[in-house]
Amino acid sequence: MRIIIPAFILFCVFQLKAQEKVKTDNPNIIFILTDDQRFDALGYVGNKLIYTPEMDKLAKEGVYFQNAMVTTPICTASRASILTGLHERTHRFNFQTGNIRESYMIDSYPKILKDNGYYTGFYGKYGVRYDGLDKQFDAYESYDRNNSFKDRRGYYYKVLQKDTVHLTRYTGQKAIDFIAKAETDIPFCLSLSFSAPHAHDAAKEQYFWQRESDSLLQKTHMPGPELAEDKYFEAQPEFVRNGFNRLRWEWRYQTEEKYQHSIKGYYRMISGIDREIFKIREELKKKGIDKNTVIILMGDNGYFMGERQLAGKWLLYDNSIRVPLIVFDPRQKNQKDSDIMALNIDVPATILDLAGLKKPKTWQGKSLMPIVSNKTKNFDRDTVLIEHIWEFDHIPPSEGLRTKEWKYFRYVNNKSVEELYYLKDDPKEINNLAKKKKYSDKLKSFREKTNELILKYSDVYSSGPSDLVVECIRNTDGVTIFDSKPEYGWVVPCSDIIQLGYQILVSSSKENSMNNIGDVWDSGQIRSSSSSEVEHGGESLKNGATYYWKVRIWDQENRLTDYSKMQSFTISNAEKNISQLSHQAYWDNNTSNFKSSDIILNKVWNSSKSSIKTIAFNGENYVNEDCNIGLFNGAYAYSIQLSHYATDKEYAVAREHIEKLIVNPGLNIESQLYLALMLHADYTYTGNAELIKKYYDKIKPKTLYRLTDENGLLAKGKLTPEFLYNTGFKKRCEDLVKKDINNIDINVINILFHQNMKIMSEFASILGKPQEKLEFEVLALKAKMALNKKITNNKGSSAKKDEMSLNAYILASAFDILPQEYLSDLVNINVADDIYKSQYLIDALYKNREQDRALDVLINSSTLKIVPTNIVSRRLWGIQPKTPGFGVANINPKMGNLKNSSIKVPTIKGSIKAEYLYENPRLQIFNIEIPGNMVAEFGIDLKSKEELIHNGKKVNTIFSSIRLEAGKHQIEIITNSF
């Protein structure tokens, strides 16, 4: 028997369950946030000039926190901290970043309240860039001063009953209306954020108050600020004296007239807020809910009122960080003032505690309710991190700590500028003890504690770049660099970060580097995504000198990371030495790995990796100095290079070997034609065109482009010893040179020549040589046409045997020269004992979608040695640079009959990690992680009835690839059987 439940009953049950999360007798909460109200701008604390009777009443009847402060003295970061319960060091939100991270706002106090049955509202200056206010509030309106107006209209543009009113009045009325409409059986939390008493920066008058405040202080002459003498201003570091704190002082306080107007205006605007609080409390009484409504009042940051001849906030003096904080709970009796160090990040925890809800574990503040409810006087907090780390030219970022008795802070961009105050004897922060030897131990202790707190509160996204390299050399401490204008590189720290800018500091001493002083070169903020091959921009570095460098970056939301760890290197003008370089390089075994369902393939790959480790770092030259050809030559050297890139993020050794081959070639014509291929691989994997620029003119004759016949192919008869001597061959080895000319496979030479011409055309384009680019393009096209004609003049497989050697046939297949109809014999070739042939045979098989046969050759060719590592990454997984330096990566996997596989491939921008699982005939799954500052294009050959799902969303298969941003991705291949 079916039971049908009416929809309205289901709705009611749902509503009841939602309301079960909070008790109906939970208190209502009103959180009032003022803008720029400093700690002593309140009558209750003894300020006889300001009129704040309602705030004073709240303080008298509630708990006034005498040592309340904000962790960051600027409105936007402070507000983000209040919403999320996190230090600025964690949320990293400021005026110039994009939206605050959604992962933090999921745990914002209004969202938690809303999700747990509270009716939530917000009116006023939200102050944080975020698109999800509807997730936080049932009723809301976000607005602030209107900066399009440079006069009083900045504060007067909102309308109530056809009258244009001050923003303070507007916010007060919105609060009254919210309370009037609130249901009495559902608790509410109303957050009010007044724009006052913030100056309207765009206007000459700065301060605009309501008419009701005109009479306040009208006949009063405001006393001048404390610490107004020149000596207090001149004691500031130059970057403060030239910054916005001074500029704003000129706007507001520079003359007596400006000072009187501004101070009176500031106080009058606070009085305007006080009047609205009175009206709000009257509405609570009218509604009969005043006895169950908690009111919290706080300023978002402190304020300079002319002290030290400064204005604004931002700096870490008490004027700037200390704020009024009042918690009035009408349910509590005998409430007293508290001297604990209460913080803005304590407010959200306090609000949740009032609502009977637990705070998220990630929050860094504490509930103040144990103090408010007189359960304890001890708050277990002796030291707090204070900071203002927005990187802005005119406001120097700073960081430090405060205890009840001490204050320490330093400036981020010059940590040698420090200030230390014993607040117990020096509450006005006049006597800086940082330079006094007597306090050196105390200073050291505070430095270390500041570093500890910074580390504690830095989130995963804050980490600085890693894997620093100079001239593609890692671990350069104690290493000699031979370029006086070296190139720097780094790995962007997190997998979902795209770099938009960087700043490099190069210092002459370790101390300067630790203090963030780039006395040799400070690049400043460079807006660029480049994270490799960044050339030194300062003066040429000095021979024999040791330097220290580090880097930090701005991400796609303009958030700034910490600096990387410092790295040192030494400059030498001596000639480079390959054997020395091999000592400098090192092997990082954790940079790459591979595993699959095929045990033999795993062993083959591991064996190949071990071979590369042994070969690549044994210190030998690719070519011996005598007439011997040497161990590393031609195709073999090229395979080593590719496999080296597949197993370790080390480019300097290969680059040195390339240079050695160019300057000191072997005695093999075919090997010489691999130089362009090796240069091209260096460029595509690193993004560095330095070797191309350096050796372009030397490489050109080595490609033999001057020896073509009328058909566009190299003519064997033109290959003379005299010509080869001009390309670098040794005259003393004449017999060997002649022997090589006689024994060459001219088809292999021409196939390599065609590839050289394609590459040289690209090189010419990079170097801005359009005419040469065109000439090489034509030569490449003519060579391909001639090679095709040579094959297609005869039909059938016998033509291949007659016209081409097996080596040439494999090479032509790998380099896309043969027409498709001539590729059928690939699957029948067995070259298990030939490394040279196997590299290109497996390349060709994968390129022609014969992955099962390619995998078979890879597994069963036991003497491949160096080849498998590059084949597995480049072909089986299809991971290669699409644009130079892996700006864009290609991922085109061809798994064949493997049931699972995982791989980690090093790149100059970090490792690409990927996993594959053949779940069943209907489902295959790829999990891929793209490193920071990289995008990838994932492509795969789909069969009929197969569809792609990317991160849960179906992909239109009309597109040949899926774009993968930095971060983690899941791609499913689903076969529909119906």
Side-chain angles (χ1 to χ4, degrees):
M1 170 177 153
R2 293 196 319 174
I3 300 175
I4 300 174
I5 302 174
F8 77 90
I9 295 178
L10 287 173
F11 175 77
C12 292
V13 170
F14 177 78
Q15 287 291 94
L16 285 170
K17 285 192 174 184
Q19 292 174 24
E20 282 173 5
K21 295 181 181 180
V22 296
K23 298 178 182 178
T24 55
D25 61 349
N26 273 14
N28 303 305
I29 305 164
I30 299 178
F31 173 46
I32 300 172
L33 188 66
T34 60
D35 198 337
D36 283 357
Q37 184 179 3
R38 63 188 246 168
F39 72 100
D40 58 359
L42 192 69
Y44 181 76
V45 299
N47 188 333
K48 300 185 182 303
L49 295 170
I50 194 167
Y51 183 70
T52 54
E54 206 61 38
M55 294 182 190
D56 299 343
K57 188 176 180 182
L58 288 173
K60 184 177 180 180
E61 296 175 357
V63 177
Y64 174 74
F65 291 90
Q66 300 165 346
N67 289 311
M69 65 191 81
V70 294
T71 53
T72 300
I74 190 171
C75 55
T76 190
S78 179
R79 288 161 189 266
S81 292
I82 291 169
L83 284 165
T84 64
L86 303 172
H87 285 80
E88 182 191 10
R89 185 72 55 167
T90 305
H91 63 66
R92 297 278 171 157
F93 181 79
N94 62 52
F95 280 111
Q96 292 181 320
T97 60
N99 279 12
I100 190 169
R101 292 186 190 276
E102 179 66 31
S103 58
Y104 297 144
M105 296 302 269
I106 286 172
D107 283 338
S108 61
Y109 82 83
K111 185 177 189 304
I112 293 172
L113 289 174
K114 185 173 185 285
D115 290 346
N116 284 277
Y118 259 78
Y119 186 70
T120 57
F122 174 84
Y123 297 98
K125 175 181 176 177
Y126 191 72
V128 177
R129 196 172 293 108
Y130 181 57
D131 298 327
L133 268 69
D134 58 328
K135 300 174 186 177
Q136 298 178 321
F137 303 108
D138 295 291
Y140 64 91
E141 185 181 355
S142 175
Y143 49 86
D144 190 14
R145 294 171 295 108
N146 191 333
N147 285 312
S148 60
F149 297 119
K150 300 187 185 306
D151 52 31
R152 70 190 301 273
R153 290 175 294 174
Y155 263 104
Y156 281 91
Y157 68 94
K158 284 291 188 178
V159 176
L160 290 174
Q161 298 178 344
K162 298 183 180 181
D163 285 336
T164 302
V165 297
H166 194 279
L167 286 184
T168 298
R169 174 79 275 274
Y170 185 82
T171 301
Q173 189 59 49
K174 298 301 286 188
I176 291 167
D177 294 344
F178 178 91
I179 295 166
K181 295 175 184 177
E183 300 289 339
T184 56
D185 58 347
I186 300 175
F188 68 76
C189 177
L190 174 60
S191 300
L192 299 175
S193 183
F194 289 92
S195 295
H198 198 295
H200 188 43
D201 298 327
K204 181 180 179 181
E205 296 91 336
Q206 294 288 295
Y207 291 94
F208 300 97
W209 53 88
Q210 295 157 277
R211 188 176 302 165
E212 297 91 324
S213 297
D214 282 347
S215 61
L216 297 175
L217 303 171
Q218 196 171 45
K219 297 181 180 180
T220 302
H221 184 273
M222 304 301 288
E226 295 180 326
L227 314 183
E229 295 88 345
D230 290 347
K231 65 179 181 179
Y232 296 109
F233 172 70
E234 291 165 359
Q236 295 297 310
E238 183 180 7
F239 44 74
V240 173
R241 297 198 305 270
N242 295 333
F244 267 20
N245 288 93
R246 180 63 170 184
L247 178 64
R248 299 290 172 93
W249 177 84
E250 292 172 357
W251 291 358
R252 295 165 194 162
Y253 309 132
Q254 187 174 28
T255 66
E256 180 66 16
E257 181 183 3
K258 285 181 179 181
Y259 179 81
Q260 292 296 320
H261 169 81
S262 294
I263 298 299
K264 289 179 181 180
Y266 177 77
Y267 281 172
R268 287 166 178 168
M269 292 176 80
I270 293 172
S271 296
I273 297 171
D274 194 83
R275 283 193 300 273
E276 297 305 322
I277 293 174
F278 171 79
K279 296 173 187 175
I280 290 167
R281 296 191 72 184
E282 287 298 302
E283 185 64 30
L284 292 173
K285 292 177 184 177
K286 179 180 176 183
K287 188 88 172 181
I289 56 176
D290 57 310
K291 302 299 184 184
N292 195 39
T293 300
V294 177
I295 299 176
I296 301 173
L297 172 71
M298 189 179 200
D300 65 348
N301 50 251
Y303 203 63
F304 283 99
M305 299 172 66
E307 296 89 356
R308 305 177 199 268
Q309 297 183 17
L310 301 174
K313 46 266 187 179
W314 313 309
L315 306 180
L316 298 184
Y317 295 104
D318 271 8
N319 310 76
S320 189
I321 65 170
R322 288 185 59 197
V323 293
L325 173 59
I326 301 166
V327 179
F328 166 70
D329 186 345
R331 303 169 304 167
Q332 305 293 335
K333 305 300 180 185
N334 301 317
Q335 293 175 309
K336 299 178 181 179
D337 293 353
S338 172
D339 65 352
I340 70 162
M341 291 187 294
L343 304 175
N344 53 340
I345 57 174
D346 296 332
V347 169
T350 303
I351 290 173
L352 289 196
D353 196 359
L354 284 164
L357 300 170
K358 292 183 178 180
K359 70 171 185 173
K361 292 181 180 179
T362 55
W363 281 10
Q364 295 157 356
K366 300 179 179 184
S367 171
L368 299 172
M369 288 312 297
I371 302 294
V372 174
S373 59
N374 291 314
K375 291 180 180 179
T376 184
K377 291 183 179 180
N378 181 17
F379 201 54
D380 191 28
R381 174 184 284 157
D382 58 8
T383 307
V384 297
L385 177 69
I386 52 176
E387 59 187 349
H388 178 270
I389 54 174
W390 175 31
E391 192 69 29
F392 184 63
D393 286 345
H394 306 292
I395 302 174
S398 51
E399 59 195 14
L401 56 81
R402 192 187 191 279
T403 71
K404 280 189 178 180
E405 295 186 348
W406 289 91
K407 164 83 69 66
Y408 164 78
F409 65 88
R410 65 198 181 198
Y411 289 93
V412 173
N413 293 328
N414 186 344
K415 290 185 179 181
S416 68
V417 181
E418 300 173 294
E419 300 190 27
L420 177 66
Y421 299 101
Y422 184 47
L423 300 175
K424 187 175 180 180
D425 293 343
D426 183 20
K428 295 179 183 178
E429 301 167 304
I430 297 172
N431 186 21
N432 182 8
L433 306 175
K435 301 299 182 184
K436 295 187 177 182
K437 190 174 181 179
K438 177 181 177 181
Y439 297 96
S440 59
D441 289 343
K442 178 69 71 175
L443 190 65
K444 181 182 178 183
S445 173
F446 282 150
R447 286 173 186 156
E448 292 173 353
K449 186 63 176 180
T450 300
N451 293 338
E452 176 189 325
L453 292 174
I454 286 171
L455 184 63
K456 177 180 178 180
Y457 294 123
S458 293
D459 72 345
V460 64
Y461 305 102
S462 307
S463 301
S466 62
D467 298 296
L468 272 60
V469 296
V470 182
E471 290 290 295
C472 288
I473 301 173
R474 302 172 296 181
N475 194 24
T476 57
D477 292 347
V479 167
T480 299
I481 301 296
F482 299 97
D483 187 344
S484 62
K485 285 214 165 187
E487 288 163 324
Y488 307 103
W490 56 88
V491 170
V492 173
C494 198
S495 63
D496 61 353
I497 285 182
I498 298 295
Q499 174 188 302
L500 290 188
Y502 64 82
Q503 181 179 12
I504 293 174
L505 298 182
V506 182
S507 308
S508 62
S509 69
K510 187 175 182 179
E511 182 181 6
N512 278 351
S513 185
M514 291 176 66
N515 285 327
N516 297 338
I517 302 170
D519 58 315
V520 176
W521 181 43
D522 182 345
S523 72
Q525 183 182 163
I526 305 294
R527 302 303 282 182
S528 168
S529 62
S530 296
S531 58
S532 60
E533 313 307 330
V534 177
E535 188 174 39
H536 182 80
E539 294 182 1
S540 295
L541 302 178
K542 296 178 181 178
N543 182 37
T546 297
Y547 297 94
Y548 303 81
W549 82 283
K550 56 186 178 182
V551 61
R552 61 181 177 177
I553 67 166
W554 284 260
D555 72 5
Q556 67 270 29
E557 296 293 340
N558 210 39
R559 288 181 286 254
L560 181 60
T561 70
D562 296 331
Y563 276 107
S564 67
K565 291 181 179 179
M566 175 177 55
Q567 188 182 63
S568 69
F569 61 93
T570 301
I571 291 294
S572 174
N573 293 339
E575 186 178 350
K576 299 180 186 179
N577 184 290
I578 181 86
S579 61
Q580 182 188 32
L581 184 72
S582 64
H583 281 292
Q584 295 170 0
Y586 68 94
W587 179 272
D588 184 352
N589 205 53
N590 297 319
T591 305
S592 63
N593 57 55
F594 170 76
K595 193 174 182 180
S596 75
S597 55
D598 193 299
I599 297 174
I600 298 175
L601 178 60
N602 298 341
K603 291 181 179 179
V604 168
W605 187 88
N606 286 323
S607 176
S608 177
K609 180 176 179 179
S610 295
S611 296
I612 292 299
K613 178 180 179 179
T614 302
I615 294 169
F617 291 100
N618 65 0
E620 293 186 46
N621 295 345
Y622 276 155
V623 183
N624 295 334
E625 295 295 333
D626 58 17
C627 292
N628 295 322
I629 292 176
L631 175 62
F632 305 131
N633 210 6
Y636 196 69
Y638 182 48
S639 290
I640 292 173
Q641 181 187 17
L642 294 177
S643 289
H644 195 173
Y645 293 164
T647 50
D648 193 23
K649 185 192 163 189
E650 175 61 63
Y651 307 100
V653 171
R655 184 170 287 181
E656 289 294 325
H657 288 178
I658 292 169
E659 291 195 77
K660 202 72 174 178
L661 280 170
I662 292 171
V663 175
N664 185 30
L667 306 175
N668 183 284
I669 297 168
E670 181 180 331
S671 295
Q672 188 161 264
L673 289 170
Y674 275 93
L675 290 174
L677 276 70
M678 295 179 74
L679 266 180
H680 189 259
D682 173 79
Y683 170 62
T684 55
Y685 277 82
T686 68
N688 188 330
E690 187 178 64
L691 291 187
I692 298 170
K693 296 173 184 175
K694 184 175 181 180
Y695 291 113
Y696 176 80
D697 289 329
K698 287 187 177 182
I699 283 288
K700 275 201 302 184
K702 294 178 185 294
T703 65
L704 310 180
Y705 75 103
R706 294 175 181 168
L707 304 184
T708 55
D709 60 20
E710 67 277 4
N711 297 316
L713 296 175
L714 297 177
K716 191 170 184 178
K718 293 186 178 183
L719 283 170
T720 65
E722 288 72 23
F723 182 86
L724 294 178
Y725 298 151
N726 290 330
T727 68
F729 279 47
K730 303 178 184 70
K731 289 186 178 181
R732 68 177 183 273
C733 304
E734 182 177 0
D735 291 343
L736 291 174
V737 173
K738 289 180 178 179
K739 182 179 178 181
D740 187 58
I741 293 172
N742 292 330
N743 292 337
I744 63 169
D745 183 334
I746 195 63
N747 285 325
V748 168
I749 296 300
N750 274 308
I751 292 165
L752 289 171
F753 170 72
H754 162 260
Q755 197 69 7
N756 271 239
M757 294 302 96
K758 287 172 60 179
I759 290 170
M760 292 304 293
S761 174
E762 185 177 345
F763 288 175
S765 178
I766 291 167
L767 299 179
K769 299 176 181 288
Q771 185 58 39
E772 292 188 26
K773 174 183 183 296
L774 180 60
E775 289 172 2
F776 285 126
E777 277 181 354
V778 171
L779 286 169
L781 182 59
K782 287 180 68 176
K784 184 172 184 178
M785 291 174 63
L787 286 166
N788 266 300
K789 186 176 180 182
K790 202 171 186 181
I791 300 165
T792 56
N793 276 342
N794 298 300
K795 304 293 182 184
S797 61
S798 61
K800 299 165 195 163
K801 296 173 184 176
D802 293 340
E803 296 292 328
M804 305 185 99
S805 67
L806 186 59
N807 280 3
Y809 171 61
I810 293 172
L811 204 60
S813 304
F815 287 155
D816 301 319
I817 290 174
L818 286 179
Q820 189 67 34
E821 61 267 27
Y822 289 89
L823 299 174
S824 57
D825 279 358
L826 280 172
V827 294
N828 300 318
I829 298 174
N830 187 355
V831 288
D833 60 346
D834 193 317
I835 293 175
Y836 171 79
K837 295 172 188 172
S838 61
Q839 172 76 62
Y840 294 109
L841 173 62
I842 302 172
D843 265 346
L845 287 168
Y846 272 113
K847 290 176 79 171
N848 288 282
R849 297 178 175 84
E850 296 288 353
Q851 47 260 44
D852 288 338
R853 173 58 181 153
L855 196 56
D856 183 59
V857 174
L858 195 58
I859 292 170
N860 293 301
S861 300
S862 59
T863 59
L864 290 179
K865 291 185 180 177
I866 59 172
V867 173
T869 47
N870 84 69
I871 288 293
V872 165
S873 62
R874 292 171 56 249
R875 298 305 182 192
L876 191 152
W877 268 98
I879 298 173
Q880 298 190 67
K882 180 174 183 177
T883 62
F886 274 98
V888 180
N890 267 333
I891 304 177
N892 303 112
K894 294 180 174 65
M895 290 294 148
N897 54 22
L898 292 179
K899 298 303 180 185
N900 62 67
S901 177
S902 63
I903 195 167
K904 180 181 179 183
V905 179
T907 81
I908 201 163
K909 292 195 171 183
S911 295
I912 296 174
K913 301 174 186 177
E915 296 177 350
Y916 166 73
L917 176 63
Y918 180 88
E919 187 75 40
N920 56 54
R922 292 189 57 194
L923 177 62
Q924 301 173 66
I925 302 172
F926 289 92
N927 287 300
I928 299 173
E929 184 173 353
I930 307 301
N933 214 32
M934 183 191 293
V935 296
E937 292 186 1
F938 178 91
I940 196 162
D941 297 326
L942 290 180
K943 300 174 184 177
S944 62
K945 297 185 179 180
E946 286 185 340
E947 63 182 28
L948 281 181
I949 307 294
H950 177 214
N951 291 342
K953 295 182 180 179
K954 186 176 179 180
V955 177
N956 191 336
T957 53
I958 194 172
F959 301 109
S960 59
S961 64
I962 305 171
R963 187 175 177 87
L964 307 181
E965 303 288 344
K968 295 181 179 180
H969 304 264
Q970 184 174 87
I971 298 167
E972 298 170 278
I973 302 174
I974 298 176
T975 303
N976 293 315
S977 58
F978 48 85

